[in-house]
Amino acid sequence: MALDERKGVWKSGKGKGRHTPKGRQLDDQAWSDVKALLEGKDLSRDLLIEHLHLIQDTYGHLAVAHLRALSEEMRVSMAEVYEVATFYAHFDVVKEDDSPPPSLTIRVCDSLSCEMAGAQQLKTALEEGLDPSKVRVLRAPCMGRCDTAPVLELGHNHIDHATPEKVKAAIKAGDTHACIPDYQTFASYVADGGYQKLKDLRASGDWEAVQETVLSSGLRGLGGAGFPSGKKWGFVRANPGPRYLAVNGDEGEPGTFKDRYYLERTPHLFLEGMLIASWAVEAETCFIYMRDEYPAVLHILRAEIEALEKAGIVAPGYIDLRRGAGAYICGEESAMIESIEGKRGLPRHRPPFVAQVGIFGRPTLVHNVETLHWVARVCREGPEVLTSIEKNGRKGLRSYSISGRVKAPGVYLLPAGSTIMDLIEAAGGMLDGHAFKAYQPGGPSAGLLPATINDVPMDFDTLQAHGTFIGSAAIVVLSDHDKARDAALNMLRFFEDESCGQCTPCRVGCEKAVKLMQADQWNQALLEELSQAMVDASICGLGQAAPNPIRLTMKHFADEV
């Protein structure tokens, strides 16, 4: 029987077959809406996430009719558009029979510092005190404002030290937009000698000499990996062009807010450091991947990149600012690159490494925001800006994000040899009525250490003997008012939410761990077996580091589990 004679098969002419192709049909009105939004815009495949943001910002959600229209306009399959839109937490996909979310969304941070400050009680009070048909209240991961916990985001307005009264007042006033802080503008930075070093290097600089200067300073990757910064330049430069530079601004490790601190004050130190690094590797384009939780930073960068273009320091489009969409996994460099390419943020298998095969398959130099801040300072002030500082046998400076049960949480620039006691002292000491019990040395990935381990320099390579690491120097201080087991459960719930789901050990392991950790008494043997499987078999650092809170809590706080 011929194909077009079978029952139920789409065919032309009369018959019982369907009259439209398979799949969701294109809606004329939705197509018209999307065409209007995208008029004059680049429709390259890698801009899919940017265009999803455009629709989300305009309509408050992503109707599937608009997703279908976007797939038509960009010539991308509906399956690809849908899988990307549903991967990221900040996109609200609404199917035909579903109701769109309320026009106003409140995201209450539930990371460790905020939970210790009463985030759960705040969320409950908001849910009970607000009309759910007008305002929805969601829990959300760290927003990079741990020094002002508890924090929530009302629209794009962050409310520090949040209370129900503050929220209701902001709603009444319609205060839902980001507050832009005072910062050093382009004109002020240039008046202070900014960009002169970049101009000198472009005119007659030797990239290998600059690389040696950066190496001699001892600067290492400050996103958490700690790889010697200058060495990357040689690796990338050794590969044929075109080459790219990608800035990892997805500061998603709970407890970390140093990058935001610098970007909201001195953005051009970072930008000049980025342009020096891009000059060194002859990058064709600089991509800045900035987390969506930092709307003020995104505003600042857009304005200051435009100032750089007007001043002729960079060509229009040379700096390509990309907006994340709420996915912690995109802090992993290969997942970030996938997201820059407009895809789901799934970590890549390695090798090859991104220095060889990065964005669009080309060699890519990846740096953290603070690392590039220091590249500029080292090039302007010399390696002595770091090497002249020494404490407890360690050289250099570290930016510590300190929060929790201390009197003055914040970012503190201290010698890299500082101990946890030095950090607590810098942050004003413990809160009145609180005794130091434990601390998180580098975000959830680093787990918990007891107060008795208090004389170790908080730096790279010093904490490994204790089964942990400094990472991004996200220090959360716990007191005798807190339970280590509750803190560990908070960390594993975060990993459970943020696992990309690509590999079974991480996806299933985090979920299983959360269930086991909710028991009155932990099955320690089973948790250890699970932890080992996750460490051995997970694709990326998320699954490999997720067991740290479990193992360190069982080791140092056995009386609680």
Side-chain angles (χ1 to χ4, degrees), residues 509 512-513 515-517 519 521-534 547 550-551 554:
K512 182 67 174 176
K515 290 177 179 175
L516 291 171
M517 293 168 74
Q521 188 171 3
W522 288 8
N523 185 335
Q524 296 189 48
L526 185 55
L527 278 167
E528 173 55 33
E529 185 180 346
L530 179 64
S531 296
Q532 192 61 50
M534 292 174 69
I550 302 170
R551 286 175 153 173
M554 292 192 299

Coordinates of all heavy atoms in Angstrom, one line a residue, residues 509 512-513 515-517 519 521-534 547 550-551 554:
G509 N 22.5 11.0 42.8 CA 23.2 11.0 44.1 C 22.8 12.2 45.0 O 22.6 12.0 46.2
K512 N 19.3 11.4 46.3 CA 19.4 10.4 47.3 C 20.0 10.9 48.6 O 19.5 10.5 49.7 CB 20.2 9.2 46.8 CG 20.3 8.0 47.7 CD 18.9 7.3 47.9 CE 19.1 6.0 48.7 NZ 17.8 5.4 49.0
A513 N 21.0 11.7 48.5 CA 21.7 12.2 49.7 C 20.7 13.1 50.5 O 20.7 12.9 51.8 CB 22.9 13.0 49.3
K515 N 17.5 12.8 50.8 CA 16.6 12.0 51.5 C 17.2 11.3 52.7 O 16.6 11.2 53.7 CB 16.0 10.9 50.5 CG 15.1 11.5 49.4 CD 14.7 10.4 48.4 CE 13.7 10.9 47.4 NZ 13.4 9.9 46.3
L516 N 18.4 10.8 52.5 CA 19.1 10.2 53.6 C 19.4 11.1 54.7 O 19.4 10.8 55.9 CB 20.4 9.5 53.1 CG 20.2 8.3 52.2 CD1 21.6 7.9 51.6 CD2 19.6 7.1 53.0
M517 N 19.7 12.4 54.4 CA 20.2 13.4 55.4 C 19.0 13.9 56.2 O 19.2 14.6 57.2 CB 20.9 14.5 54.7 CG 22.3 14.1 54.1 SD 23.0 15.3 53.0 CE 23.5 16.5 54.2
A519 N 16.8 12.0 57.6 CA 16.5 11.0 58.7 C 17.0 11.5 60.0 O 18.0 12.3 60.1 CB 17.2 9.7 58.4
Q521 N 18.6 9.9 62.2 CA 20.0 9.4 62.3 C 20.5 9.0 61.0 O 19.9 8.3 60.3 CB 20.0 8.2 63.3 CG 21.5 7.8 63.6 CD 21.5 6.8 64.8 OE1 20.5 6.3 65.2 NE2 22.7 6.4 65.2
W522 N 21.6 9.6 60.6 CA 22.2 9.3 59.3 C 22.7 7.9 59.1 O 23.3 7.4 60.1 CB 23.3 10.3 58.9 CG 22.9 11.7 58.7 CD1 21.7 12.3 58.9 CD2 23.7 12.8 58.3 NE1 21.7 13.6 58.5 CE2 22.9 13.9 58.2 CE3 25.1 12.9 57.9 CZ2 23.5 15.2 57.8 CZ3 25.6 14.1 57.5 CH2 24.8 15.2 57.4
N523 N 22.4 7.3 58.0 CA 23.0 6.0 57.6 C 24.4 6.4 57.1 O 24.6 6.5 55.9 CB 22.2 5.3 56.6 CG 22.7 3.9 56.3 OD1 23.9 3.6 56.4 ND2 21.8 3.0 55.9
Q524 N 25.4 6.5 58.0 CA 26.7 7.0 57.6 C 27.4 6.1 56.6 O 28.1 6.6 55.6 CB 27.6 7.2 58.8 CG 27.0 8.3 59.7 CD 27.9 8.7 60.8 OE1 29.1 8.9 60.6 NE2 27.4 8.7 62.1
A525 N 27.3 4.8 56.7 CA 28.0 3.9 55.8 C 27.4 4.0 54.4 O 28.2 4.1 53.4 CB 27.8 2.4 56.3
L526 N 26.1 4.1 54.3 CA 25.5 4.3 52.9 C 25.8 5.7 52.4 O 26.1 5.8 51.1 CB 24.0 4.1 53.1 CG 23.2 4.2 51.8 CD1 23.7 3.1 50.8 CD2 21.7 3.9 52.0
L527 N 25.8 6.7 53.2 CA 26.2 8.0 52.7 C 27.6 8.1 52.2 O 27.9 8.7 51.2 CB 26.0 9.1 53.8 CG 24.5 9.6 54.0 CD1 24.3 10.3 55.3 CD2 24.1 10.4 52.8
E528 N 28.5 7.4 52.9 CA 29.9 7.3 52.5 C 30.0 6.6 51.1 O 30.8 7.0 50.2 CB 30.8 6.7 53.5 CG 32.2 6.5 53.1 CD 32.9 7.7 52.6 OE1 32.6 8.8 53.1 OE2 33.8 7.6 51.7
E529 N 29.3 5.5 51.0 CA 29.3 4.8 49.7 C 28.8 5.6 48.6 O 29.4 5.6 47.5 CB 28.5 3.5 49.9 CG 28.6 2.6 48.7 CD 27.7 1.3 48.9 OE1 27.3 1.0 50.0 OE2 27.5 0.6 47.9
L530 N 27.7 6.3 48.8 CA 27.1 7.2 47.9 C 28.1 8.3 47.5 O 28.3 8.7 46.3 CB 25.8 7.8 48.4 CG 25.1 8.8 47.5 CD1 24.6 8.1 46.3 CD2 23.9 9.4 48.3
S531 N 28.7 8.9 48.5 CA 29.7 10.0 48.3 C 30.8 9.5 47.4 O 31.3 10.3 46.5 CB 30.3 10.5 49.6 OG 29.2 11.1 50.4
Q532 N 31.4 8.4 47.6 CA 32.5 7.9 46.8 C 32.1 7.6 45.4 O 32.8 8.0 44.5 CB 33.0 6.5 47.4 CG 34.3 6.1 46.8 CD 35.4 7.1 47.1 OE1 35.6 7.6 48.2 NE2 36.1 7.5 46.0
A533 N 30.9 7.1 45.2 CA 30.4 6.9 43.8 C 30.3 8.3 43.1 O 30.6 8.4 41.9 CB 29.1 6.2 43.8
M534 N 29.8 9.3 43.8 CA 29.7 10.6 43.2 C 31.0 11.2 42.8 O 31.2 11.8 41.7 CB 28.9 11.6 44.1 CG 27.4 11.2 44.3 SD 26.6 12.2 45.5 CE 26.5 13.8 44.7
P547 N 29.6 15.9 47.8 CA 29.7 15.1 49.0 C 30.5 15.7 50.1 O 30.5 15.2 51.3 CB 30.4 13.8 48.5 CG 30.2 13.7 47.1 CD 30.2 15.1 46.6
I550 N 28.7 16.4 53.4 CA 28.3 15.1 54.0 C 29.5 14.6 54.8 O 29.4 14.3 56.0 CB 27.8 14.1 53.0 CG1 26.7 14.7 52.2 CG2 27.5 12.8 53.7 CD1 26.3 13.8 51.0
R551 N 30.6 14.4 54.1 CA 31.8 13.8 54.7 C 32.4 14.6 55.9 O 32.7 14.0 56.9 CB 32.9 13.6 53.6 CG 32.5 12.4 52.7 CD 33.5 12.3 51.5 NE 33.6 11.0 51.0 CZ 34.3 10.6 49.9 NH1 35.0 11.6 49.3 NH2 34.4 9.4 49.5
M554 N 30.0 14.4 58.9 CA 30.2 13.1 59.6 C 31.5 13.0 60.4 O 31.6 12.4 61.5 CB 30.1 12.0 58.6 CG 28.7 11.8 58.0 SD 28.4 10.2 57.1 CE 29.7 10.4 55.8

